[in-house]
Amino acid sequence: MSDIASEFGVTSEYLSALFAKETGMNFVTYLKKFRITKAQELLLQTDKKIYEIAFAVGYDDPAYFYRVFKEATGVSPKTYLRNQNS
């Protein structure tokens, strides 16, 4: 966020406030939601392994990705895939 803010000549605090005002959520929440949505798409549209999808959407730790995915969706990535395919 600070790199982007400096590119526009504003503070990261100002950019964060503006982002929250425009999107209704803070940047971290937005990014997490975006990553999980992309992971859901990849689970359904590719044959990639769950750890590969974790890396593809920006998580370096597949175990952490698993926890975040489950927290956001209520189910594990494997269960999500199984539920969508049945």
Side-chain angles (χ1 to χ4, degrees), residues 36-67:
I36 296 303
T37 299
K38 186 63 178 172
Q40 289 172 312
E41 292 172 10
L42 291 171
L43 282 166
L44 298 177
Q45 298 171 0
T46 69
D47 291 331
K48 289 185 178 188
K49 305 271 187 214
I50 293 171
Y51 74 89
E52 293 173 316
I53 291 173
F55 293 138
V57 298
Y59 290 96
D60 294 331
D61 180 356
Y64 180 66
F65 166 74
Y66 179 94
R67 287 193 306 272

Side-chain angles (χ1 to χ4, degrees), residues 11-78:
T11 66
S12 58
E13 292 81 10
Y14 175 78
L15 185 57
S16 289
L18 185 60
F19 188 90
K21 181 181 176 187
E22 293 296 318
T23 64
M25 64 185 84
N26 66 39
F27 181 72
V28 172
T29 301
Y30 178 86
L31 182 59
K32 180 173 128 180
K33 185 176 179 176
F34 179 84
R35 286 175 168 172
I36 296 303
T37 299
K38 186 63 178 172
Q40 289 172 312
E41 292 172 10
L42 291 171
L43 282 166
L44 298 177
Q45 298 171 0
T46 69
D47 291 331
K48 289 185 178 188
K49 305 271 187 214
I50 293 171
Y51 74 89
E52 293 173 316
I53 291 173
F55 293 138
V57 298
Y59 290 96
D60 294 331
D61 180 356
Y64 180 66
F65 166 74
Y66 179 94
R67 287 193 306 272
V68 171
F69 189 97
K70 189 168 184 179
E71 177 185 291
T73 65
V75 296
S76 69
K78 188 178 248 182

